Amino acid sequence: MRFFSDNAAAACPEVMKALDEANRIDTAYDGDAWSARLDDAFSRLFETQVRALWVTTGTAANSLALAALCPPHGSIVCHRDAHIQNDECGAPEFYTHGAKLLLAEGAGAKLTPETVEALLATVRNDVHQVQPHALSITQATEYGLVYTPDEVAALGRLCEERGLGFHMDGARFANAAARLGCAPADLTWRAGVRALSFGFVKNGGLSAEALIFFDTKLADATLYRRKRAGHLLSKGRYLAAQLLAMLKDDAWLRNARAANDAAARLAAAAGERLVLPVEANELFLKVTPQEAAALRARGFDFYAWGPGEARLVTSWDSDSAHVEALAEAISAL
Amino acid sequence: MRFFSDNAAAACPEVMKALDEANRIDTAYDGDAWSARLDDAFSRLFETQVRALWVTTGTAANSLALAALCPPHGSIVCHRDAHIQNDECGAPEFYTHGAKLLLAEGAGAKLTPETVEALLATVRNDVHQVQPHALSITQATEYGLVYTPDEVAALGRLCEERGLGFHMDGARFANAAARLGCAPADLTWRAGVRALSFGFVKNGGLSAEALIFFDTKLADATLYRRKRAGHLLSKGRYLAAQLLAMLKDDAWLRNARAANDAAARLAAAAGERLVLPVEANELFLKVTPQEAAALRARGFDFYAWGPGEARLVTSWDSDSAHVEALAEAISAL
Amino acid sequence: MRFFSDNAAAACPEVMKALDEANRIDTAYDGDAWSARLDDAFSRLFETQVRALWVTTGTAANSLALAALCPPHGSIVCHRDAHIQNDECGAPEFYTHGAKLLLAEGAGAKLTPETVEALLATVRNDVHQVQPHALSITQATEYGLVYTPDEVAALGRLCEERGLGFHMDGARFANAAARLGCAPADLTWRAGVRALSFGFVKNGGLSAEALIFFDTKLADATLYRRKRAGHLLSKGRYLAAQLLAMLKDDAWLRNARAANDAAARLAAAAGERLVLPVEANELFLKVTPQEAAALRARGFDFYAWGPGEARLVTSWDSDSAHVEALAEAISAL
Amino acid sequence: MRFFSDNAAAACPEVMKALDEANRIDTAYDGDAWSARLDDAFSRLFETQVRALWVTTGTAANSLALAALCPPHGSIVCHRDAHIQNDECGAPEFYTHGAKLLLAEGAGAKLTPETVEALLATVRNDVHQVQPHALSITQATEYGLVYTPDEVAALGRLCEERGLGFHMDGARFANAAARLGCAPADLTWRAGVRALSFGFVKNGGLSAEALIFFDTKLADATLYRRKRAGHLLSKGRYLAAQLLAMLKDDAWLRNARAANDAAARLAAAAGERLVLPVEANELFLKVTPQEAAALRARGFDFYAWGPGEARLVTSWDSDSAHVEALAEAISAL
């Protein structure tokens, strides 16, 4: 009974069916019929004209977005615990040709205008220091918190004032949107976001993520950067088809809600053990080593997360019996 | 009736079946059961211990291999018509951090020790010039010719003498191997090749290519480079499963033979029109604009290739009726 | 008696005196009184508002200019024999983060609109190929020819039409300007040049070159790139002082004329032996190995330049007796 | 009366004389007679065979050293206040092609094995995180403290155990060596240092710094990197001559002692106001805004350094009357 990571989940039926349907000859790269529909499909979802590019990983989406927003001699503000800082092996530095990540603080891996301003205040405005050009936040955060539209917009205003490009790493954007029940537009471009890494793989996709440019002119150079990074798959239709299948009838929201619901069930059982509120599909629990071992002995797999903590992640296909069993096991600790 | 590119073909049934079978929870990234079998599967095929990494594009495989063989301040010798020079939007320069490609000559996009030596002789051995560190050849070449084991070995000896790392872009390695009927080992490490981009996508794969290191220690840093380039897919099992499915019972050779046979049928019809011998699955034909238009009017799609030439590419699933129809149409020109 | 290279010459008295005068405390980096005068001094010379940055090498000036004009995923058109291609160890690739140099043809290392257009015509306008963003020419060329204002302007118009940034590597700009007797403006911005590497070291400087931006907004990011490349010397006043000293009373032109005159004297003696007209301070002579050896035996040092050719370079301080002796020795061959 | 920075000081007489003596024709780049003597001169100083390269800035020396010690996908441990992190506009990231700086703690900008180990313990050993490849310390530190031979050696042992390349940013190495009175070897290679940026410009040089490789094989590729970065000056003899002049008769130590002595005089006057012990030529003083204004009103220039602090820097040529006057003014506050 695995609660390691939503990365490990299977692909959802809609996606597998889409692969089968796309399995016929078409034009190579992104010249196919499926890829041609992406801009429109995402523009409808976001209620504005966007450019949408498929890529195979969130790391690639994030790095391409950051390269579009920050020159090599600039810096990118992000949280100290951000995925782009800790879990991408320097991919942002590779794609931006050496831009620096500036690390801001905030509980639950969440940035606020105050913590960002405090960091910016430490940067001298001279050529001896890399100057900030972009801000990147993670939605939901690495600790499973969500930014509300107002919170995003407050950071968006700061970006506007400071001339920073605003990127959202939406590896779990679906879980945040499902939680908040608001329009995707409210969480993004209406709040100042210029580029979004829109995650699908953790949410039931097989190998397709979407890179969405609300600042559409940024897409032009990114097409070259994507190819130059070896990310223009020759049979791109299989990626586009996955994305279209998950947009259709809001499968992406349905999947995210399932994962969130499973997490909520566990959160209810965890009660006082919760390190942070559970707002998406990740839980961080206080457990002693003995308690962790007891859970593992009963067949539950999960990551230890610092001393005395465990991380549990649910996914679109979390087995309800497993979830129930884990909830009971946690309650019984 | 499309003869544009093998890139546009469908994925073969073995691959689609493998995707279905892999569609269950497992460990993320390359920690899954399928990825764990790759080294052994390719080591058996090549009759020596290799390291095998999945990636999603030939461009990524080539660039990662070149980055392993050449420092940023070095240069890579390749043919003037090489894919890495003309069709990858500078990916080798991106991954190597600015190494230079040195362009050698040769009929049919094929290098020989003589043309490589002639190029190397133009490089002064001083710090003002980038020094050659690697040689890259394409098997089959961009013009559909194959290097025999002896031809590869002659270049391998030159690399040994000159201290060059030897890379083979095997986007159509399968077609070459099928044509030559020799052991894959004879075409690669026994002839001095240290890294091979082993193409599967053009040959019936969906999204998986293999990067094979015969110089196994090169793989260690490449694992970091792959992640850093955003090419470590979180559900890597779907890539590994494709490769394993195509290795099983030599599906890769079967597919390649089918493509080669279709090309041979067209070549027989083309006769004197052939610009070069047809040794794999690409044909280059002399056709007047009128003749090209006549073929297109009958429903055959293909690329014009320079003035007075057309490129036809067959694939693992080329429809035999279409091939026959095209052969007859060419004969009738 | 050295005719190897103007790089090896001494620094002129004006420069040495300027160093002494600058040898007192001032503000560090480029905050000093001398550096503050550069923009004005060069703006006067060029009859338009420019931004002028000191650097210590032509390679740095060229590379910073190219990085300002071409993104990492772009390409730069230059002559096959250009210094930036052959003699800078890949510095343009380093500074541009991997842009590609596209090599055009032309007698005497000189480009024409025709040869540039012929090269551009080979580039497909798709994401698989790096797209040209800049053109770089060398004034005087690597073979000692000068571009007239009309010739520069013709290339400038091509750049305008094609959307290319226009860079001039003016390592021997002084020699060209001295030869042509025209306004520096006519050779540069009036002819479409946006960035000029203005060489001083070969012309009597000690360690200072000027990077001139006619497109002044390009200077802003370049200030960061210069620092980031380790080229912001902490005692920058010694560089600025050299440049100001050479601009004063046109010392730069005086020095260049002296070098040109010496070359002209040798050219007159060389007559039919000249491979190309002598328009600046470099001569390329046809000499047999025996003749070359005879000249060396008499104490003249110079580079062999391909089979059966020798390169002679004069400089601002070429000893007139040595020049006369060499002229006579050449005549007597 | 300037106490801003040793960067702003004049060049010492030995250096100016050396420039005059070098002002004659010789071979270009680093082929001259002065450059040829560098390896030997520094090998004698360090009592072991070293390779010594001139460069014009400490930033270039640091970045070239780090590029020799750390691959693009690696990381470099340094202090949070290190110059390479805060004052070089991302030059280490540029030269290493995007390696990451990992920031360790320590009072007075000084690292200890404990703080370095604590940082290293936060790095997971997997491909998702950049792995540490090098350690860089500053001697004297950014806060004017010196590492003793034992302190350096303790870090050297840690590097040995952890497989880290050990770099010393010795912008004020002379001041540290003068303070400690020990052999330069004891502060460097005998303590495990593999590459040293040996500063001369702050200490009376005009434009020459030395990059010393104790691990001599690292120099080979660095020669290419130096050229590729535009740091191979065509008249390199003027740099080599400066270094040789400062090594001769220990002028470098004499200059450093003068600066240290001036700082000691001020430190004695500052007494309780000192934020940290004064071990080299920098003082950090607690002063109220009113006190700082009073000092400035009397003609003393210096940097404010955080709230309620001032930084004073002495140099080789600090005027003793100015120092005395400042000492008295501080005492009188």
Side-chain angles (χ1 to χ4, degrees), chain A residues 85-90 93 98 100-101 124 127-130, chain D residues 85-90 93 98 100-101 124 127-130:
Chain A
Q85 164 67 4
N86 295 306
D87 299 288
E88 300 189 345
C89 196
E93 288 88 345
K100 204 183 262 289
L101 302 191
R124 294 192 318 269
V127 299
H128 300 268
Q129 297 209 323
V130 289
Chain D
Q85 164 69 3
N86 295 306
D87 298 288
E88 300 189 345
C89 196
E93 287 89 345
K100 203 183 262 288
L101 302 191
R124 294 193 317 270
V127 298
H128 300 268
Q129 297 209 321
V130 289

Coordinates of all heavy atoms in Angstrom, one line a residue, chain A residues 85-90 93 98 100-101 124 127-130, chain D residues 85-90 93 98 100-101 124 127-130:
Chain A
Q85 N 14.9 24.4 -6.6 CA 16.2 24.5 -5.8 C 16.7 23.2 -5.4 O 17.9 23.0 -5.4 CB 16.0 25.5 -4.6 CG 17.1 25.4 -3.6 CD 18.4 26.0 -4.0 OE1 18.6 26.5 -5.1 NE2 19.4 25.9 -3.2
N86 N 15.9 22.3 -4.9 CA 16.3 21.1 -4.2 C 16.2 19.8 -5.0 O 16.8 18.8 -4.6 CB 15.6 21.0 -2.9 CG 15.8 22.1 -2.0 OD1 17.0 22.4 -1.7 ND2 14.8 22.8 -1.5
D87 N 15.4 19.8 -6.0 CA 15.1 18.5 -6.6 C 15.2 18.4 -8.1 O 14.7 17.5 -8.7 CB 13.7 18.1 -6.2 CG 13.5 18.0 -4.7 OD1 14.0 17.0 -4.1 OD2 12.9 18.9 -4.1
E88 N 15.9 19.3 -8.7 CA 16.0 19.3 -10.1 C 17.5 19.3 -10.6 O 17.8 19.6 -11.7 CB 15.2 20.4 -10.8 CG 13.7 20.3 -10.4 CD 12.8 21.3 -11.1 OE1 13.3 22.3 -11.7 OE2 11.6 21.1 -11.0
C89 N 18.4 19.0 -9.7 CA 19.8 18.8 -10.0 C 20.4 20.0 -10.8 O 21.2 19.8 -11.7 CB 20.0 17.5 -10.8 SG 21.7 17.0 -10.9
G90 N 19.9 21.1 -10.5 CA 20.5 22.3 -11.2 C 19.9 22.6 -12.6 O 20.5 23.3 -13.3
E93 N 19.6 26.2 -13.5 CA 20.9 26.8 -13.8 C 21.3 26.4 -15.2 O 22.0 27.1 -15.9 CB 22.0 26.4 -12.8 CG 21.8 27.0 -11.4 CD 20.9 26.3 -10.4 OE1 20.1 25.4 -10.9 OE2 20.9 26.6 -9.2
G98 N 23.1 29.6 -16.0 CA 23.8 30.0 -14.8 C 23.1 31.1 -13.9 O 23.8 31.7 -13.1
K100 N 21.1 32.6 -10.9 CA 21.2 32.2 -9.5 C 19.8 32.1 -8.9 O 19.0 33.0 -9.2 CB 22.1 33.2 -8.8 CG 22.8 32.8 -7.5 CD 23.5 33.9 -6.9 CE 25.0 34.0 -7.2 NZ 25.8 32.9 -6.6
L101 N 19.6 31.2 -8.0 CA 18.3 31.1 -7.3 C 18.6 31.8 -5.9 O 19.5 31.5 -5.2 CB 17.9 29.7 -7.0 CG 17.7 28.8 -8.3 CD1 17.0 27.5 -7.9 CD2 16.9 29.5 -9.3
R124 N 22.1 44.4 -3.4 CA 22.5 45.7 -3.8 C 22.3 45.9 -5.3 O 22.5 45.0 -6.1 CB 24.0 45.9 -3.6 CG 24.5 45.9 -2.2 CD 26.0 46.4 -2.1 NE 26.8 45.8 -3.2 CZ 27.5 44.6 -3.1 NH1 27.4 44.0 -2.0 NH2 28.2 44.2 -4.1
V127 N 26.5 46.2 -10.4 CA 26.9 45.1 -11.3 C 27.6 43.9 -10.6 O 27.9 42.9 -11.2 CB 27.8 45.5 -12.4 CG1 27.0 46.5 -13.3 CG2 29.1 46.1 -12.0
H128 N 28.0 44.1 -9.3 CA 28.7 43.0 -8.6 C 27.7 42.0 -8.1 O 28.1 40.9 -7.7 CB 29.4 43.6 -7.4 CG 30.5 44.6 -7.8 ND1 31.8 44.3 -8.1 CD2 30.3 46.0 -8.1 CE1 32.4 45.4 -8.5 NE2 31.6 46.4 -8.5
Q129 N 26.4 42.3 -8.1 CA 25.5 41.3 -7.7 C 24.5 40.9 -8.8 O 24.1 41.8 -9.6 CB 24.7 41.8 -6.5 CG 25.6 42.1 -5.3 CD 24.9 41.9 -3.9 OE1 23.8 42.3 -3.8 NE2 25.6 41.4 -3.0
V130 N 24.1 39.7 -8.8 CA 23.1 39.3 -9.8 C 21.8 39.9 -9.4 O 21.4 40.0 -8.2 CB 22.9 37.8 -9.9 CG1 24.1 37.1 -10.6 CG2 22.7 37.1 -8.6
Chain D
Q85 N 30.1 34.4 -3.9 CA 28.6 34.3 -3.8 C 28.0 35.7 -4.0 O 27.0 35.8 -4.7 CB 28.2 33.7 -2.5 CG 26.7 33.9 -2.1 CD 25.7 33.2 -3.0 OE1 26.1 32.4 -3.9 NE2 24.4 33.4 -2.8
N86 N 28.6 36.7 -3.4 CA 27.9 38.0 -3.3 C 28.4 39.1 -4.2 O 27.8 40.1 -4.3 CB 28.0 38.5 -1.9 CG 27.2 37.6 -0.9 OD1 26.1 37.3 -1.2 ND2 27.9 37.1 0.1
D87 N 29.6 39.0 -4.7 CA 30.3 40.1 -5.3 C 30.9 39.9 -6.7 O 31.6 40.7 -7.2 CB 31.4 40.6 -4.4 CG 30.8 41.1 -3.0 OD1 30.1 42.1 -3.0 OD2 30.9 40.4 -2.0
E88 N 30.5 38.8 -7.3 CA 31.1 38.5 -8.6 C 30.0 38.3 -9.7 O 30.3 37.8 -10.8 CB 32.0 37.3 -8.5 CG 33.2 37.5 -7.5 CD 34.3 36.5 -7.5 OE1 34.1 35.4 -8.0 OE2 35.3 36.8 -6.9
C89 N 28.8 38.7 -9.4 CA 27.8 38.8 -10.4 C 27.6 37.4 -11.1 O 27.3 37.4 -12.3 CB 28.1 39.8 -11.5 SG 26.6 40.3 -12.5
G90 N 27.7 36.4 -10.3 CA 27.5 35.1 -10.9 C 28.6 34.5 -11.8 O 28.4 33.6 -12.6
E93 N 29.2 30.8 -11.6 CA 28.1 30.1 -12.3 C 28.4 30.2 -13.8 O 28.2 29.2 -14.6 CB 26.7 30.7 -12.0 CG 26.2 30.3 -10.7 CD 26.6 31.3 -9.6 OE1 27.5 32.1 -9.8 OE2 26.0 31.3 -8.5
G98 N 27.1 26.8 -14.6 CA 25.9 26.6 -13.8 C 26.0 25.7 -12.6 O 25.0 25.3 -12.0
K100 N 26.3 25.1 -8.7 CA 25.5 25.8 -7.6 C 26.4 26.0 -6.5 O 27.3 25.2 -6.1 CB 24.4 24.8 -7.2 CG 23.2 25.5 -6.6 CD 22.2 24.5 -6.1 CE 21.0 24.3 -7.1 NZ 20.0 25.4 -7.1
L101 N 26.3 27.2 -5.8 CA 27.0 27.5 -4.6 C 26.2 27.1 -3.4 O 25.0 27.4 -3.3 CB 27.4 29.0 -4.5 CG 28.2 29.5 -5.7 CD1 28.7 30.9 -5.4 CD2 29.4 28.6 -6.0
R124 N 21.2 15.2 -0.1 CA 20.9 13.8 -0.4 C 21.8 13.3 -1.5 O 22.0 14.0 -2.5 CB 19.4 13.6 -0.9 CG 18.3 13.9 0.1 CD 17.0 13.4 -0.4 NE 16.8 13.6 -1.9 CZ 16.2 14.7 -2.3 NH1 15.8 15.7 -1.5 NH2 16.1 14.9 -3.6
V127 N 20.4 11.7 -7.7 CA 20.6 12.5 -8.9 C 19.7 13.7 -8.9 O 19.8 14.6 -9.8 CB 20.4 11.8 -10.3 CG1 21.4 10.6 -10.4 CG2 18.9 11.3 -10.4
H128 N 18.8 13.8 -8.0 CA 17.9 15.0 -7.9 C 18.6 16.2 -7.3 O 18.0 17.3 -7.4 CB 16.6 14.6 -7.2 CG 15.9 13.5 -7.8 ND1 14.9 13.7 -8.7 CD2 16.0 12.2 -7.7 CE1 14.4 12.5 -9.1 NE2 15.1 11.6 -8.5
Q129 N 19.7 16.0 -6.7 CA 20.4 17.1 -6.0 C 21.8 17.2 -6.6 O 22.4 16.2 -6.9 CB 20.4 16.9 -4.5 CG 19.1 16.9 -3.9 CD 19.1 17.3 -2.5 OE1 20.0 17.1 -1.7 NE2 18.0 18.1 -2.1
V130 N 22.2 18.5 -6.8 CA 23.6 18.7 -7.2 C 24.5 18.2 -6.1 O 24.3 18.5 -4.9 CB 23.9 20.1 -7.5 CG1 23.2 20.5 -8.8 CG2 23.5 21.1 -6.4

